[in-house]
Amino acid sequence: GQFLSWIHKSEEYAAGLRDIQVNQDFTVSAHMSNRLSIELVLDGNFDVYLGDHTSSNQDQSRIYLSSYLDNGRQTRLYKKGAKIRSVGLWLPAGLLTNQFAVDTEKLSPTIRSIIMLERESTTILPLSTHMRQALEDMMRHKYQGSLGDEYMSAKTTELLCYFSELITSPEEIFELDNNLPRHKAQAMSTVLQCINNNLASPPSMEDLAKIIGLSRSVMTNTFKSSYGLSITEYLLQKRMDAAHELLKTGKLSILNV
């Protein structure tokens, strides 16, 4: 396989591409301070450790957005037999807001706190079809030397444009830009609406499946493979967003939440 790393031609952020077959378990650790990490995963089986937070990627296509404060540390455990295809971007604070016009007021509380480096945290987002295609292009390109550097810089800029749009409205972008058949795309849109309209007491898995006209297993597998999170993980993430917003506005105390 291949592992490539480069500095964007603006010299403001670094990037790395992994396209490898893992022959034995191994661990990689990195120290970062006051940085954002965006890991765009096409596929791969690995665990990510950020402080007390652990995420396990089981051949899922998704995005890990993480923040690192002073002396931050990220550890990845790659598992034997896995094929890893991903691109990582490591950005300074302020790059997305200053150069990619990200309006933090339009972000969810969780994403906003990460982008603004208010705390160390990780959240998971879906890969859009356009982002998947850009990643596939990067994996396959044959350019060498300075031409290769120019190409990769252009593609990472393209990814950040898509990403900046995605974080403002993940559900809307997912609904408009996924590679699902039409009937499954409509079904997943209904699942999102049912959850977001009933965070406190959402329909059961069985009821959700009846509402959209799919079996429970097809529904859960389709949601997880396309959105990058299980339905349960998505519900938990949305509840965390709601709790952060209540705390921020002072409508509830920590004990009430």
Side-chain angles (χ1 to χ4, degrees), residues 4 13 23 49 61 70 77 79 107 120 129 143 196-197 218 223:
L4 304 174
Y13 62 88
N23 295 323
Y49 304 93
S61 297
D70 290 333
L77 171 61
K79 301 176 181 179
L107 304 179
E120 282 200 350
T129 302
Y143 301 114
N196 284 295
N197 291 337
V218 171
F223 190 92

Side-chain angles (χ1 to χ4, degrees), residues 60-61 132 179-180 220-229:
Q60 293 162 274
S61 297
R132 291 172 192 262
N179 59 357
L180 293 171
T220 55
N221 290 337
T222 301
F223 190 92
K224 188 171 184 177
S225 63
S226 59
Y227 200 88
L229 289 169

Side-chain angles (χ1 to χ4, degrees), residues 19-237:
D19 184 5
I20 58 174
Q21 181 75 41
V22 181
N23 295 323
Q24 62 182 25
D25 291 358
F26 71 95
T27 301
V28 176
S29 294
H31 290 274
M32 284 180 275
S33 293
N34 301 311
R35 290 268 161 177
L36 292 177
S37 168
I38 304 172
E39 186 82 10
L40 304 108
V41 182
L42 278 172
D43 39 55
N45 188 3
F46 57 89
D47 295 333
V48 180
Y49 304 93
L50 172 62
D52 295 330
H53 182 87
T54 302
S55 292
S56 181
N57 200 82
Q58 299 175 342
D59 288 325
Q60 293 162 274
S61 297
R62 55 186 181 178
I63 302 169
Y64 292 90
L65 171 63
S66 306
S67 54
Y68 299 87
L69 305 183
D70 290 333
N71 298 314
R73 180 185 181 90
Q74 184 186 76
T75 301
R76 288 184 178 86
L77 171 61
Y78 294 100
K79 301 176 181 179
K80 181 180 179 180
K83 180 174 176 58
I84 310 294
R85 295 194 305 153
S86 68
V87 169
L89 306 173
W90 300 278
L91 318 178
L95 183 77
L96 291 175
T97 54
N98 296 334
Q99 294 193 22
F100 291 88
V102 171
D103 184 351
T104 57
E105 293 303 312
K106 295 181 179 179
L107 304 179
S108 71
T110 297
I111 294 177
R112 184 191 309 125
S113 68
I114 294 175
I115 296 296
M116 300 298 290
L117 292 182
E118 294 175 355
R119 60 193 178 96
E120 282 200 350
S121 186
T122 293
T123 194
I124 297 171
L125 296 161
L127 271 178
S128 68
T129 302
H130 285 92
M131 298 176 86
R132 291 172 192 262
Q133 186 58 58
L135 291 169
E136 292 283 4
D137 291 343
M138 295 171 76
M139 298 292 165
R140 293 193 299 257
H141 91 89
K142 302 298 182 183
Y143 301 114
Q144 301 293 325
S146 60
L147 185 58
D149 292 340
E150 288 289 339
Y151 178 84
M152 296 302 258
S153 289
K155 297 303 284 188
T156 53
T157 299
E158 178 185 353
L159 284 172
L160 285 174
C161 288
Y162 292 140
F163 179 78
S164 298
E165 182 181 43
L166 172 72
I167 58 177
T168 301
S169 50
E171 289 85 1
E172 181 180 341
I173 297 300
F174 171 73
E175 292 177 13
L176 295 174
D177 188 13
N178 62 69
N179 59 357
L180 293 171
R182 185 173 181 179
H183 74 286
K184 285 190 175 180
Q186 291 175 338
M188 295 305 102
S189 177
T190 301
V191 170
L192 290 171
Q193 291 171 15
C194 288
I195 293 174
N196 284 295
N197 291 337
N198 302 278
L199 285 180
S201 55
S204 67
M205 293 293 182
E206 289 75 14
D207 288 341
L208 271 177
K210 289 178 182 178
I211 290 169
I212 64 175
L214 295 176
S215 70
R216 173 173 174 166
S217 61
V218 171
M219 175 188 72
T220 55
N221 290 337
T222 301
F223 190 92
K224 188 171 184 177
S225 63
S226 59
Y227 200 88
L229 289 169
S230 70
I231 293 176
T232 301
E233 289 171 328
Y234 176 79
L235 173 61
L236 178 60
Q237 193 161 281

